[in-house]
PDB file of all heavy atoms in Angstrom:
ATOM      1  N   ALA A 690      -0.072  -5.722   6.815  1.00  0.00           N
ATOM      2  CA  ALA A 690       1.327  -5.662   6.404  1.00  0.00           C
ATOM      3  C   ALA A 690       1.867  -7.065   6.169  1.00  0.00           C
ATOM      4  O   ALA A 690       1.505  -8.007   6.870  1.00  0.00           O
ATOM      5  CB  ALA A 690       2.162  -4.945   7.455  1.00  0.00           C
ATOM      6  N   GLY A 691       2.745  -7.192   5.163  1.00  0.00           N
ATOM      7  CA  GLY A 691       3.339  -8.479   4.841  1.00  0.00           C
ATOM      8  C   GLY A 691       3.975  -8.446   3.472  1.00  0.00           C
ATOM      9  O   GLY A 691       3.626  -7.597   2.633  1.00  0.00           O
ATOM     10  N   ASP A 692       4.925  -9.321   3.223  1.00  0.00           N
ATOM     11  CA  ASP A 692       5.605  -9.411   1.936  1.00  0.00           C
ATOM     12  C   ASP A 692       6.194  -8.071   1.488  1.00  0.00           C
ATOM     13  O   ASP A 692       6.165  -7.719   0.305  1.00  0.00           O
ATOM     14  CB  ASP A 692       4.643  -9.936   0.854  1.00  0.00           C
ATOM     15  CG  ASP A 692       4.444 -11.444   0.943  1.00  0.00           C
ATOM     16  OD1 ASP A 692       4.876 -12.034   1.951  1.00  0.00           O
ATOM     17  OD2 ASP A 692       3.865 -12.030   0.017  1.00  0.00           O
ATOM     18  N   GLY A 693       6.678  -7.293   2.449  1.00  0.00           N
ATOM     19  CA  GLY A 693       7.305  -6.016   2.128  1.00  0.00           C
ATOM     20  C   GLY A 693       6.342  -4.885   1.844  1.00  0.00           C
ATOM     21  O   GLY A 693       6.756  -3.785   1.464  1.00  0.00           O
ATOM     22  N   LEU A 694       5.036  -5.106   2.037  1.00  0.00           N
ATOM     23  CA  LEU A 694       4.018  -4.095   1.739  1.00  0.00           C
ATOM     24  C   LEU A 694       3.203  -3.726   2.963  1.00  0.00           C
ATOM     25  O   LEU A 694       3.078  -4.503   3.909  1.00  0.00           O
ATOM     26  CB  LEU A 694       3.062  -4.609   0.650  1.00  0.00           C
ATOM     27  CG  LEU A 694       3.650  -4.937  -0.725  1.00  0.00           C
ATOM     28  CD1 LEU A 694       2.544  -5.469  -1.626  1.00  0.00           C
ATOM     29  CD2 LEU A 694       4.308  -3.715  -1.342  1.00  0.00           C
ATOM     30  N   VAL A 695       2.637  -2.522   2.908  1.00  0.00           N
ATOM     31  CA  VAL A 695       1.620  -2.084   3.864  1.00  0.00           C
ATOM     32  C   VAL A 695       0.364  -1.799   3.048  1.00  0.00           C
ATOM     33  O   VAL A 695       0.412  -1.034   2.071  1.00  0.00           O
ATOM     34  CB  VAL A 695       2.063  -0.819   4.629  1.00  0.00           C
ATOM     35  CG1 VAL A 695       0.953  -0.335   5.551  1.00  0.00           C
ATOM     36  CG2 VAL A 695       3.335  -1.101   5.428  1.00  0.00           C
ATOM     37  N   ILE A 696      -0.757  -2.423   3.426  1.00  0.00           N
ATOM     38  CA  ILE A 696      -1.983  -2.357   2.622  1.00  0.00           C
ATOM     39  C   ILE A 696      -3.075  -1.594   3.371  1.00  0.00           C
ATOM     40  O   ILE A 696      -3.360  -1.883   4.533  1.00  0.00           O
ATOM     41  CB  ILE A 696      -2.503  -3.772   2.288  1.00  0.00           C
ATOM     42  CG1 ILE A 696      -1.411  -4.617   1.612  1.00  0.00           C
ATOM     43  CG2 ILE A 696      -3.754  -3.691   1.416  1.00  0.00           C
ATOM     44  CD1 ILE A 696      -0.998  -4.138   0.244  1.00  0.00           C
ATOM     45  N   VAL A 697      -3.689  -0.631   2.679  1.00  0.00           N
ATOM     46  CA  VAL A 697      -4.881   0.044   3.202  1.00  0.00           C
ATOM     47  C   VAL A 697      -5.958   0.012   2.123  1.00  0.00           C
ATOM     48  O   VAL A 697      -5.659  -0.107   0.933  1.00  0.00           O
ATOM     49  CB  VAL A 697      -4.602   1.508   3.620  1.00  0.00           C
ATOM     50  CG1 VAL A 697      -3.652   1.567   4.793  1.00  0.00           C
ATOM     51  CG2 VAL A 697      -4.060   2.313   2.454  1.00  0.00           C
ATOM     52  N   VAL A 698      -7.221   0.116   2.552  1.00  0.00           N
ATOM     53  CA  VAL A 698      -8.344   0.126   1.611  1.00  0.00           C
ATOM     54  C   VAL A 698      -9.148   1.398   1.832  1.00  0.00           C
ATOM     55  O   VAL A 698      -9.502   1.737   2.974  1.00  0.00           O
ATOM     56  CB  VAL A 698      -9.249  -1.108   1.793  1.00  0.00           C
ATOM     57  CG1 VAL A 698     -10.342  -1.122   0.735  1.00  0.00           C
ATOM     58  CG2 VAL A 698      -8.435  -2.386   1.728  1.00  0.00           C
ATOM     59  N   THR A 699      -9.452   2.115   0.766  1.00  0.00           N
ATOM     60  CA  THR A 699     -10.136   3.397   0.875  1.00  0.00           C
ATOM     61  C   THR A 699     -11.662   3.232   0.867  1.00  0.00           C
ATOM     62  O   THR A 699     -12.186   2.142   0.617  1.00  0.00           O
ATOM     63  CB  THR A 699      -9.738   4.325  -0.279  1.00  0.00           C
ATOM     64  OG1 THR A 699     -10.301   3.818  -1.513  1.00  0.00           O
ATOM     65  CG2 THR A 699      -8.235   4.410  -0.415  1.00  0.00           C
ATOM     66  N   LYS A 700     -12.337   4.332   1.110  1.00  0.00           N
ATOM     67  CA  LYS A 700     -13.802   4.340   1.186  1.00  0.00           C
ATOM     68  C   LYS A 700     -14.451   3.915  -0.127  1.00  0.00           C
ATOM     69  O   LYS A 700     -15.542   3.349  -0.143  1.00  0.00           O
ATOM     70  CB  LYS A 700     -14.279   5.740   1.586  1.00  0.00           C
ATOM     71  CG  LYS A 700     -15.758   5.839   1.880  1.00  0.00           C
ATOM     72  CD  LYS A 700     -16.121   7.236   2.362  1.00  0.00           C
ATOM     73  CE  LYS A 700     -17.586   7.329   2.724  1.00  0.00           C
ATOM     74  NZ  LYS A 700     -17.939   8.693   3.232  1.00  0.00           N
ATOM     75  N   LYS A 701     -13.779   4.166  -1.239  1.00  0.00           N
ATOM     76  CA  LYS A 701     -14.325   3.824  -2.554  1.00  0.00           C
ATOM     77  C   LYS A 701     -13.859   2.463  -3.061  1.00  0.00           C
ATOM     78  O   LYS A 701     -13.989   2.150  -4.246  1.00  0.00           O
ATOM     79  CB  LYS A 701     -13.980   4.914  -3.563  1.00  0.00           C
ATOM     80  CG  LYS A 701     -14.685   6.237  -3.278  1.00  0.00           C
ATOM     81  CD  LYS A 701     -14.457   7.233  -4.397  1.00  0.00           C
ATOM     82  CE  LYS A 701     -15.230   8.520  -4.144  1.00  0.00           C
ATOM     83  NZ  LYS A 701     -15.032   9.505  -5.238  1.00  0.00           N
ATOM     84  N   GLY A 702     -13.279   1.657  -2.156  1.00  0.00           N
ATOM     85  CA  GLY A 702     -12.898   0.309  -2.528  1.00  0.00           C
ATOM     86  C   GLY A 702     -11.589   0.213  -3.277  1.00  0.00           C
ATOM     87  O   GLY A 702     -11.380  -0.729  -4.048  1.00  0.00           O
ATOM     88  N   GLU A 703     -10.690   1.137  -3.050  1.00  0.00           N
ATOM     89  CA  GLU A 703      -9.385   1.106  -3.701  1.00  0.00           C
ATOM     90  C   GLU A 703      -8.347   0.527  -2.747  1.00  0.00           C
ATOM     91  O   GLU A 703      -8.186   1.016  -1.623  1.00  0.00           O
ATOM     92  CB  GLU A 703      -8.969   2.510  -4.139  1.00  0.00           C
ATOM     93  CG  GLU A 703      -7.729   2.536  -5.005  1.00  0.00           C
ATOM     94  CD  GLU A 703      -7.391   3.939  -5.478  1.00  0.00           C
ATOM     95  OE1 GLU A 703      -7.885   4.906  -4.867  1.00  0.00           O
ATOM     96  OE2 GLU A 703      -6.637   4.071  -6.450  1.00  0.00           O
ATOM     97  N   VAL A 704      -7.659  -0.509  -3.187  1.00  0.00           N
ATOM     98  CA  VAL A 704      -6.591  -1.110  -2.391  1.00  0.00           C
ATOM     99  C   VAL A 704      -5.279  -0.417  -2.749  1.00  0.00           C
ATOM    100  O   VAL A 704      -4.885  -0.390  -3.919  1.00  0.00           O
ATOM    101  CB  VAL A 704      -6.469  -2.620  -2.671  1.00  0.00           C
ATOM    102  CG1 VAL A 704      -5.378  -3.236  -1.796  1.00  0.00           C
ATOM    103  CG2 VAL A 704      -7.799  -3.313  -2.416  1.00  0.00           C
ATOM    104  N   ILE A 705      -4.617   0.147  -1.739  1.00  0.00           N
ATOM    105  CA  ILE A 705      -3.370   0.877  -1.966  1.00  0.00           C
ATOM    106  C   ILE A 705      -2.238   0.155  -1.246  1.00  0.00           C
ATOM    107  O   ILE A 705      -2.322  -0.112  -0.047  1.00  0.00           O
ATOM    108  CB  ILE A 705      -3.475   2.331  -1.487  1.00  0.00           C
ATOM    109  CG1 ILE A 705      -4.569   3.056  -2.271  1.00  0.00           C
ATOM    110  CG2 ILE A 705      -2.145   3.054  -1.635  1.00  0.00           C
ATOM    111  CD1 ILE A 705      -4.790   4.486  -1.836  1.00  0.00           C
ATOM    112  N   ALA A 706      -1.182  -0.162  -1.990  1.00  0.00           N
ATOM    113  CA  ALA A 706      -0.022  -0.848  -1.435  1.00  0.00           C
ATOM    114  C   ALA A 706       1.129   0.139  -1.297  1.00  0.00           C
ATOM    115  O   ALA A 706       1.506   0.820  -2.260  1.00  0.00           O
ATOM    116  CB  ALA A 706       0.388  -2.010  -2.334  1.00  0.00           C
ATOM    117  N   LEU A 707       1.688   0.212  -0.090  1.00  0.00           N
ATOM    118  CA  LEU A 707       2.821   1.088   0.197  1.00  0.00           C
ATOM    119  C   LEU A 707       4.055   0.252   0.505  1.00  0.00           C
ATOM    120  O   LEU A 707       3.939  -0.864   1.028  1.00  0.00           O
ATOM    121  CB  LEU A 707       2.505   1.992   1.397  1.00  0.00           C
ATOM    122  CG  LEU A 707       1.189   2.774   1.348  1.00  0.00           C
ATOM    123  CD1 LEU A 707       0.960   3.484   2.679  1.00  0.00           C
ATOM    124  CD2 LEU A 707       1.202   3.779   0.205  1.00  0.00           C
ATOM    125  N   ASP A 708       5.217   0.795   0.207  1.00  0.00           N
ATOM    126  CA  ASP A 708       6.466   0.123   0.565  1.00  0.00           C
ATOM    127  C   ASP A 708       6.641   0.239   2.075  1.00  0.00           C
ATOM    128  O   ASP A 708       6.563   1.325   2.627  1.00  0.00           O
ATOM    129  CB  ASP A 708       7.639   0.787  -0.158  1.00  0.00           C
ATOM    130  CG  ASP A 708       8.911  -0.044  -0.059  1.00  0.00           C
ATOM    131  OD1 ASP A 708       9.350  -0.334   1.083  1.00  0.00           O
ATOM    132  OD2 ASP A 708       9.472  -0.397  -1.106  1.00  0.00           O
ATOM    133  N   ARG A 709       6.880  -0.870   2.741  1.00  0.00           N
ATOM    134  CA  ARG A 709       6.944  -0.856   4.198  1.00  0.00           C
ATOM    135  C   ARG A 709       8.154  -0.086   4.728  1.00  0.00           C
ATOM    136  O   ARG A 709       8.177   0.351   5.871  1.00  0.00           O
ATOM    137  CB  ARG A 709       6.966  -2.274   4.745  1.00  0.00           C
ATOM    138  CG  ARG A 709       8.297  -2.993   4.615  1.00  0.00           C
ATOM    139  CD  ARG A 709       8.261  -4.324   5.317  1.00  0.00           C
ATOM    140  NE  ARG A 709       9.562  -4.994   5.338  1.00  0.00           N
ATOM    141  CZ  ARG A 709      10.472  -4.806   6.290  1.00  0.00           C
ATOM    142  NH1 ARG A 709      10.218  -3.973   7.289  1.00  0.00           N
ATOM    143  NH2 ARG A 709      11.624  -5.448   6.250  1.00  0.00           N
ATOM    144  N   LYS A 710       9.172   0.106   3.890  1.00  0.00           N
ATOM    145  CA  LYS A 710      10.389   0.772   4.342  1.00  0.00           C
ATOM    146  C   LYS A 710      10.264   2.291   4.377  1.00  0.00           C
ATOM    147  O   LYS A 710      10.822   2.945   5.261  1.00  0.00           O
ATOM    148  CB  LYS A 710      11.563   0.373   3.447  1.00  0.00           C
ATOM    149  CG  LYS A 710      11.929  -1.101   3.546  1.00  0.00           C
ATOM    150  CD  LYS A 710      13.102  -1.423   2.639  1.00  0.00           C
ATOM    151  CE  LYS A 710      13.480  -2.896   2.751  1.00  0.00           C
ATOM    152  NZ  LYS A 710      14.615  -3.245   1.849  1.00  0.00           N
ATOM    153  N   ASP A 711       9.547   2.878   3.401  1.00  0.00           N
ATOM    154  CA  ASP A 711       9.478   4.339   3.336  1.00  0.00           C
ATOM    155  C   ASP A 711       8.070   4.890   3.115  1.00  0.00           C
ATOM    156  O   ASP A 711       7.872   6.103   3.097  1.00  0.00           O
ATOM    157  CB  ASP A 711      10.403   4.861   2.238  1.00  0.00           C
ATOM    158  CG  ASP A 711      10.158   4.200   0.883  1.00  0.00           C
ATOM    159  OD1 ASP A 711       9.057   3.641   0.683  1.00  0.00           O
ATOM    160  OD2 ASP A 711      11.060   4.227   0.029  1.00  0.00           O
ATOM    161  N   GLY A 712       7.072   4.010   2.936  1.00  0.00           N
ATOM    162  CA  GLY A 712       5.701   4.467   2.772  1.00  0.00           C
ATOM    163  C   GLY A 712       5.343   4.930   1.380  1.00  0.00           C
ATOM    164  O   GLY A 712       4.223   5.416   1.153  1.00  0.00           O
ATOM    165  N   LYS A 713       6.251   4.802   0.420  1.00  0.00           N
ATOM    166  CA  LYS A 713       5.938   5.226  -0.938  1.00  0.00           C
ATOM    167  C   LYS A 713       4.975   4.241  -1.601  1.00  0.00           C
ATOM    168  O   LYS A 713       5.071   3.044  -1.396  1.00  0.00           O
ATOM    169  CB  LYS A 713       7.223   5.319  -1.766  1.00  0.00           C
ATOM    170  CG  LYS A 713       8.142   6.453  -1.321  1.00  0.00           C
ATOM    171  CD  LYS A 713       9.380   6.545  -2.201  1.00  0.00           C
ATOM    172  CE  LYS A 713      10.270   7.694  -1.764  1.00  0.00           C
ATOM    173  NZ  LYS A 713      11.497   7.811  -2.600  1.00  0.00           N
ATOM    174  N   GLN A 714       4.050   4.786  -2.397  1.00  0.00           N
ATOM    175  CA  GLN A 714       3.045   3.931  -3.039  1.00  0.00           C
ATOM    176  C   GLN A 714       3.681   3.055  -4.107  1.00  0.00           C
ATOM    177  O   GLN A 714       4.424   3.522  -4.964  1.00  0.00           O
ATOM    178  CB  GLN A 714       1.934   4.778  -3.650  1.00  0.00           C
ATOM    179  CG  GLN A 714       0.831   3.954  -4.295  1.00  0.00           C
ATOM    180  CD  GLN A 714      -0.367   4.790  -4.707  1.00  0.00           C
ATOM    181  OE1 GLN A 714      -0.791   5.677  -3.971  1.00  0.00           O
ATOM    182  NE2 GLN A 714      -0.918   4.507  -5.874  1.00  0.00           N
ATOM    183  N   ARG A 715       3.354   1.770  -4.048  1.00  0.00           N
ATOM    184  CA  ARG A 715       3.851   0.805  -5.038  1.00  0.00           C
ATOM    185  C   ARG A 715       2.815   0.582  -6.136  1.00  0.00           C
ATOM    186  O   ARG A 715       3.158   0.484  -7.294  1.00  0.00           O
ATOM    187  CB  ARG A 715       4.194  -0.512  -4.339  1.00  0.00           C
ATOM    188  CG  ARG A 715       5.337  -0.393  -3.341  1.00  0.00           C
ATOM    189  CD  ARG A 715       6.665  -0.721  -3.975  1.00  0.00           C
ATOM    190  NE  ARG A 715       6.736  -2.118  -4.335  1.00  0.00           N
ATOM    191  CZ  ARG A 715       7.151  -3.096  -3.516  1.00  0.00           C
ATOM    192  NH1 ARG A 715       7.533  -2.810  -2.287  1.00  0.00           N
ATOM    193  NH2 ARG A 715       7.188  -4.343  -3.940  1.00  0.00           N
ATOM    194  N   TRP A 716       1.553   0.437  -5.741  1.00  0.00           N
ATOM    195  CA  TRP A 716       0.486   0.256  -6.711  1.00  0.00           C
ATOM    196  C   TRP A 716      -0.878   0.496  -6.058  1.00  0.00           C
ATOM    197  O   TRP A 716      -0.981   0.592  -4.839  1.00  0.00           O
ATOM    198  CB  TRP A 716       0.518  -1.124  -7.367  1.00  0.00           C
ATOM    199  CG  TRP A 716       0.605  -2.313  -6.444  1.00  0.00           C
ATOM    200  CD1 TRP A 716       1.730  -3.020  -6.118  1.00  0.00           C
ATOM    201  CD2 TRP A 716      -0.477  -2.935  -5.720  1.00  0.00           C
ATOM    202  NE1 TRP A 716       1.423  -4.039  -5.233  1.00  0.00           N
ATOM    203  CE2 TRP A 716       0.082  -4.016  -4.991  1.00  0.00           C
ATOM    204  CE3 TRP A 716      -1.835  -2.704  -5.620  1.00  0.00           C
ATOM    205  CZ2 TRP A 716      -0.683  -4.848  -4.172  1.00  0.00           C
ATOM    206  CZ3 TRP A 716      -2.601  -3.533  -4.813  1.00  0.00           C
ATOM    207  CH2 TRP A 716      -2.028  -4.587  -4.102  1.00  0.00           C
TER     208      TRP A 716
END
């Protein structure tokens, strides 16, 4: 987490960025 984002990485190597305030996907 940082810069207003929450970052997770999936099993297939996809980086997913969520908005830290509500969890909605940003990119």
Side-chain angles (χ1 to χ4, degrees):
D692 282 11
L694 298 178
V695 176
I696 306 293
V697 294
V698 184
T699 70
K700 188 176 183 179
K701 293 187 177 181
E703 189 177 19
V704 182
I705 299 178
L707 309 173
D708 192 303
R709 76 174 186 88
K710 294 180 179 179
D711 53 20
K713 292 182 179 180
Q714 182 171 318
R715 296 267 293 272
W716 50 261

